[in-house]
Amino acid sequence: MRIPLSWLREYVDLPATETGRDVQAKLVSAGLEVETVEQLGDGLKGPLVVGQVLTIEELEGFKKPIRFCTVDVGAANGTGEPQEIVCGARNFAVGDKVVVVLPGAVLPGDFAIAARKTYGKTSHGMICSSDELGMGDDGTKGIIVLPPETEVGKDAVELLELVDEVLDIAVTANRGDCLSLRGVARETAIAYGLPLRDPALLDVPGPNAYGYPVRVSDPAGCDRFTARTVTGLSPEARSPIWLQRRLQKVGMRPISLAVDVTNYVMMELGQPLHAYDRSQVQGTVGVRRAQQGEKLTTLDGVERVLHAEDLVITDDRGPIGLAGVMGGADTEIADDAGRATADVVIEAAHFDAVSVARTARRHKLSSEASRRFERGVDPQAAAAAAQRTVDLLVLLAGGTAEAGVTEVVAPSAPHTITAPADHPDKVAGVTYGRETVVRRLQQIGCDVYGQDELIVTVPSWRPDLVAANDLAEEVIRLEGYENLPSTLPRPRSGHGLTPRQRLHRRVGRALAGAGYVEALSYPFVGEQVFGQLLLDADDPDREVVKLVNPLNDEEPALRTSLLPGLLGALRRNDGRGTHDLALFETGLVFHPREDRSVAAAPPVDRRPTAEEIAALDATLPDQPRHVAVVLAGAREQAGWWGKGRPAEWADAVEAARAVAREAGAELVVRGGQYGPWHPGRTAELAVVVDGTERVVGHAGELHPRVLKSLGLPDRTSAMELDLDALQAAGNDTPQAPRISTFPMATQDVALVVDVAVPHAEVEAALREGAGELLESIRLFDVYENGAQLGEGKKSLAYALRFRAGDRTLTVDEASAARDAAVALAGERAGAVLRG
């Protein structure tokens, strides 16, 4: 909402020294979002005067029409002689009054005016259009032509109100009252502690039987309808300059007097109005719901097929307007260039906000009227707005107001809220006191009664005040949010991050330190992705929780895996030229419970009980936290330091090991096969929880069919782990490294086993057989299908490091531990020493 400061001063006696910036600060403090203060006429310097065109000479021989004019500017040029000006516009004639800028002036945009030779003539100034003066669109698309009675030589800066300040306010959905000068003036008056001259306080005649006939068939959609009639409008009457300029400053284009007046009153009082050409209205004006399939051509020239829920204005022929949105073309007020409209019927009605909003969205037709009805219009202002419109039409167009007044009103009672007087104190944590609370509520228009328990009657222009908390918010914002004390909460000693939170942070730091970049994705998926990931038909991850109202109809389910989102991020980045990628994400996945009961809607008038909260929690899906990584391209870049290397399945496995180390869990890594991973390059990841081994994830290279289906780079690898299960198997207690002063004994062994025997099984046997003296074990060589090994055999070479904490090991002790390890590997895995 654009608010000219000059217009605002008509309702509030602001100090003369107050600038737009000062008013902006006050309104922002009161809770209104004033985005900008526009300085109209900034940099404008005269002389800028009214002139009268004396002669026009058409210049020939140029690519476009050019006119050489002489213009009488009175004594403004210092000589009284006619001013010679070259102009290319053609929307003015001899005798017209125009705006002339003389040499020495500066127009907006630092455009200096000087005498200059052009088209073979010397132009001493310029005849101005509205765009050149920064006035906005006046509908002429050319030179400003002033009314004939305008005085020659008059200062055009003052006449056209070119210098002003305009506050641009972003009005929130609950403050429809601030979509008007009246509403913003009320807030300004409160902020400055000044009285308000309410423009809606008019003497309005009561309804009688002589008014234009109106029938409201849907009082729920239209609870108030006021109709007034003005006859005998002068066809020559035009909107005066002051009215046009005010409309331009608030962002509207002047059209014709009758339309301009309704727009002006709407901006002034916030009540949308509509003027019908009485000669085009046939019979009784009605308000009803449309019949399915009815048609209406609106003022924008579009024929619209109506819906049964649309609220329409009708006459005896059918619909003549979309209620609260836009009028119809059949009863349109003629513009200044068309036929004359002598008699008009003024409509000032109050329509249901939800109905108007749905109609506007259904027809994709947002208007100034619908914006106001959607946010709430003062129903009590309808009669005053109609009277204000009638007064202006009589004053400016020489019309006559008919005595008939029609007012159809559905019975209603004012909204009343009961609240403790200290309720704002409890909400804000500040002691305001009853007197302050009552004073602030009365300032916004409430009637307040009672002592400890206040009975508050809400003003008609504030439909957003429905509960005690709304009243508390009004008191707090008017007292100043900036005056609320800042109090830091005092945590109880010993409380900090939970173990789950600490693990989440450690995992993020570890993966980031390993070169992975965190990528957050939406938790929504389409069920077709499970087929693309090659999940079996009975895979538990295909059981999803579906949303009743999804953001995207193509992704109606909650994810059961982090991979779809991460792989999508990898694909987008690869498609944009970034091919070397290592991404990770930690987040929740969602699995439905076996008992898929539906939660009851919790109450909104009180805090739910513990039983209600427990019942609500029982219906929520299981939400374990997972961690996943995806890799593609180069893992190590090539350069002068070396050849580099591509990312591969082993990097994904190492990422899983890094996560397990942070959780303090021992990860079992063995060959496996699952869904999206390559059957020959997949590691199954398991942990032991309470003595039972549990598979918690997979890592490795993705299946070529998955890469093709999802459009991913070749040899893309991935890993996903259940982080909660990993935490359950781990030890969160920090472990300090053991540093021994005794030397280490190293023993290497090469074992021959069947090709099908996994390395993890052999390593586990060696680790257990070696006993407590084993400090570490490392696989450093794998050799398969050699002639010395035999068909179907492979050689695994391990480096075993032994150390005792209290002595130096002898060769016999180290050899005995090695032999015990080999013996157990031979017993469990069929391993024999090579050679």
Side-chain angles (χ1 to χ4, degrees):
M1 179 67 191
R2 292 170 57 85
I3 304 293
L5 188 60
S6 59
W7 196 352
L8 185 64
R9 290 180 182 276
E10 286 198 3
Y11 313 121
V12 184
D13 287 327
L14 294 172
T17 57
E18 286 295 283
T19 66
R21 297 291 184 189
D22 298 329
V23 178
Q24 177 189 31
K26 286 283 189 180
L27 293 180
V28 168
S29 178
L32 296 184
E33 185 179 349
V34 184
E35 294 186 325
T36 60
V37 178
E38 183 179 353
Q39 305 290 333
L40 299 184
D42 188 25
L44 176 64
K45 298 179 182 178
L48 191 71
V49 299
V50 176
Q52 184 173 22
V53 180
L54 300 178
T55 65
I56 298 177
E57 177 187 350
E58 301 289 346
L59 301 182
E60 305 293 340
F62 299 103
K63 292 182 179 180
K64 60 180 181 178
I66 299 296
R67 311 167 99 187
F68 180 64
C69 311
T70 58
V71 184
D72 178 13
V73 294
N77 58 4
T79 65
E81 296 294 325
Q83 201 78 4
E84 296 179 339
I85 298 175
V86 175
C87 183
R90 309 191 64 79
N91 68 311
F92 64 97
V94 173
D96 282 345
K97 302 289 181 64
V98 293
V99 177
V100 178
V101 56
L102 300 176
V106 179
L107 296 184
D110 199 25
F111 179 30
I113 303 299
R116 63 189 184 96
K117 191 169 183 178
T118 179
Y119 297 102
K121 300 285 186 178
T122 300
S123 182
H124 299 273
M126 187 169 68
I127 302 176
C128 297
S129 68
S130 59
D131 287 339
E132 290 163 341
L133 297 179
M135 295 171 55
D137 185 11
D138 63 356
T140 64
K141 306 296 183 184
I143 293 302
I144 302 171
V145 178
L146 301 172
E149 64 273 13
T150 310
E151 179 186 350
V152 171
K154 184 177 178 63
D155 183 2
V157 175
E158 179 183 351
L159 175 69
L160 299 177
E161 301 177 10
L162 296 179
V163 178
D164 202 350
E165 293 182 276
V166 179
L167 286 72
D168 193 353
I169 302 176
V171 180
T172 55
N174 66 316
R175 291 303 305 273
D177 60 306
C178 288
L179 286 173
S180 67
L181 267 295
R182 180 194 184 202
V184 175
R186 183 181 295 109
E187 291 294 322
T188 305
I190 295 173
Y192 279 91
L194 297 171
L196 169 71
R197 287 189 292 274
D198 191 343
L201 294 180
L202 302 174
D203 291 331
V204 180
N208 53 51
Y210 311 109
Y212 197 91
V214 173
R215 180 177 62 253
V216 177
S217 303
D218 190 339
C222 176
D223 58 7
R224 185 179 294 267
F225 195 108
T226 300
R228 299 289 298 276
T229 304
V230 180
T231 60
L233 300 180
S234 171
E236 289 81 21
R238 301 290 182 266
S239 299
I241 293 175
W242 65 265
L243 192 150
Q244 294 186 44
R245 287 297 293 133
R246 286 191 171 180
L247 289 179
Q248 288 176 322
K249 289 177 184 180
V250 298
M252 302 193 77
R253 179 172 63 87
I255 298 174
S256 65
L257 177 58
V259 175
D260 293 348
V261 166
T262 59
N263 287 335
Y264 177 87
V265 175
M266 175 177 66
M267 291 298 174
E268 183 180 50
L269 301 182
Q271 168 66 53
L273 301 109
H274 191 72
Y276 299 94
D277 188 333
R278 184 174 180 177
S279 65
Q280 304 299 314
V281 179
Q282 299 181 10
T284 300
V285 171
V287 183
R288 62 170 171 83
R289 298 289 172 175
Q291 298 174 9
Q292 188 68 35
E294 275 188 306
K295 295 182 179 180
L296 168 67
T297 300
T298 47
L299 289 174
D300 56 359
V302 177
E303 184 179 71
R304 304 183 184 277
V305 179
L306 303 180
H307 188 276
E309 292 184 3
D310 291 337
L311 194 67
V312 293
I313 310 297
T314 65
D315 64 4
D316 291 349
R317 296 168 297 179
I320 59 173
L322 277 175
V325 181
M326 185 174 285
D330 290 342
T331 57
E332 179 182 6
I333 294 290
D335 60 24
D336 291 340
R339 57 177 171 75
T341 297
D343 305 331
V344 297
V345 177
I346 306 299
E347 165 210 306
H350 184 261
F351 301 111
D352 176 60
V354 174
S355 177
V356 171
R358 288 177 176 172
T359 297
R361 283 156 180 74
R362 189 179 298 121
H363 294 283
K364 297 181 175 60
L365 186 62
S366 179
S367 64
E368 292 289 345
S370 67
R371 286 182 61 221
R372 283 160 176 78
F373 280 121
E374 289 173 16
R375 289 161 174 78
V377 169
D378 181 6
Q380 302 293 335
Q387 183 63 45
R388 177 73 164 138
T389 304
V390 169
D391 292 343
L392 286 173
L393 288 176
V394 171
L395 174 67
L396 302 176
T400 301
E402 290 195 351
V405 177
T406 302
E407 193 162 350
V408 180
V409 181
S412 63
H415 181 59
T416 300
I417 302 171
T418 301
D422 61 350
H423 184 64
D425 301 2
K426 294 178 180 178
V427 173
V430 176
T431 302
Y432 292 121
R434 180 186 177 280
E435 289 186 6
T436 299
V437 171
V438 172
R439 175 172 57 86
R440 288 303 191 183
L441 293 179
Q442 288 175 339
Q443 282 180 331
I444 65 173
C446 296
D447 290 331
V448 186
Y449 304 95
Q451 292 298 319
D452 295 338
E453 194 79 10
L454 300 181
I455 302 174
V456 182
T457 301
V458 174
S460 58
W461 55 83
R462 292 298 303 272
D464 58 306
L465 303 181
V466 296
N469 283 339
D470 299 325
L471 301 180
E473 182 181 1
E474 291 299 297
V475 174
I476 295 168
R477 76 173 181 86
L478 294 178
E479 284 294 304
Y481 291 119
E482 69 277 8
N483 295 323
L484 294 176
S486 298
T487 306
L488 293 175
R490 294 183 178 180
R492 290 176 293 173
S493 61
H495 287 256
L497 297 177
T498 64
R500 192 185 197 204
Q501 291 170 326
R502 289 197 298 269
L503 175 60
H504 176 245
R505 294 191 178 189
R506 290 201 307 272
V507 167
R509 286 194 294 266
L511 291 176
Y516 290 86
V517 176
E518 187 172 16
L520 301 179
S521 57
Y522 286 112
F524 312 117
V525 296
E527 293 184 80
Q528 76 282 352
V529 75
F530 301 127
Q532 295 172 323
L533 293 177
L534 305 182
L535 297 186
D536 295 335
D538 59 348
D539 193 293
D541 278 356
R542 283 183 175 267
E543 295 292 323
V544 296
V545 177
K546 291 188 177 180
L547 301 174
V548 175
N549 187 24
L551 294 178
N552 184 349
D553 291 338
E554 296 181 358
E555 295 180 336
L558 293 173
R559 66 189 178 192
T560 55
S561 166
L562 300 181
L563 288 184
L566 267 183
L567 292 175
L570 186 142
R571 179 179 63 249
R572 285 191 298 274
N573 282 275
D574 181 73
R576 294 170 183 172
T578 304
H579 305 301
D580 303 326
L581 295 160
L583 309 178
F584 84 94
E585 181 177 9
T586 56
L588 301 179
V589 299
F590 306 85
H591 296 283
R593 298 179 186 267
E594 293 184 4
D595 178 18
R596 299 195 182 189
S597 57
V598 178
V604 295
D605 59 340
R606 59 175 174 81
R607 187 184 189 279
T609 64
E611 292 76 14
E612 290 171 331
I613 295 175
L616 188 64
D617 288 341
T619 62
L620 297 177
D622 292 325
Q623 302 175 49
R625 186 181 297 275
H626 280 204
V627 58
V629 304
V630 293
L631 306 99
R635 185 65 177 135
E636 295 178 4
Q637 295 291 331
W640 58 265
W641 53 85
K643 295 181 180 180
R645 68 175 182 85
E648 57 182 4
W649 63 269
D651 294 303
V653 175
E654 180 55 31
R657 293 184 188 276
V659 172
R661 285 194 294 269
E662 295 299 327
E666 185 175 347
L667 197 64
V668 178
V669 182
R670 55 172 175 259
Q673 185 173 345
Y674 178 70
W677 279 277
H678 191 294
R681 299 167 187 165
T682 304
E684 183 179 81
L685 310 174
V687 293
V688 177
V689 181
D690 297 331
T692 303
E693 188 175 272
R694 174 181 172 185
V695 176
V696 293
H698 295 82
E701 186 178 311
L702 294 179
H703 198 288
R705 286 167 54 191
V706 173
L707 301 181
K708 182 178 180 180
S709 176
L710 295 177
L712 300 172
D714 294 339
R715 311 304 290 267
T716 297
S717 299
M719 178 276 293
E720 184 166 14
L721 279 172
D722 184 335
L723 198 54
D724 286 348
L726 205 63
Q727 183 178 10
N731 182 2
D732 192 50
T733 304
Q735 300 291 326
R738 293 186 301 169
I739 300 176
S740 176
T741 59
F742 297 98
M744 172 188 65
T746 302
Q747 298 276 349
D748 293 345
V749 294
L751 303 177
V752 178
V753 295
D754 291 338
V755 171
V757 176
H759 142 69
E761 183 178 335
V762 178
E763 180 181 321
L766 289 173
R767 191 180 297 277
E768 182 178 344
E772 296 181 354
L773 295 179
L774 182 67
E775 184 177 80
S776 67
I777 182 171
R778 179 173 63 88
L779 175 68
F780 65 86
D781 185 55
V782 179
Y783 178 67
E784 295 184 14
N785 297 327
Q788 299 176 353
L789 299 179
E791 189 70 23
K793 298 293 184 178
K794 66 179 177 181
S795 171
L796 304 176
Y798 294 91
L800 284 68
R801 300 174 61 177
F802 299 98
R803 196 193 310 260
D806 58 349
R807 67 188 187 281
T808 299
L809 292 178
T810 65
V811 174
D812 292 339
E813 287 177 314
S815 298
R818 179 203 62 190
D819 293 342
V822 171
L824 189 59
E827 178 182 337
R828 291 187 178 177
V832 297
L833 280 172
R834 180 180 174 186

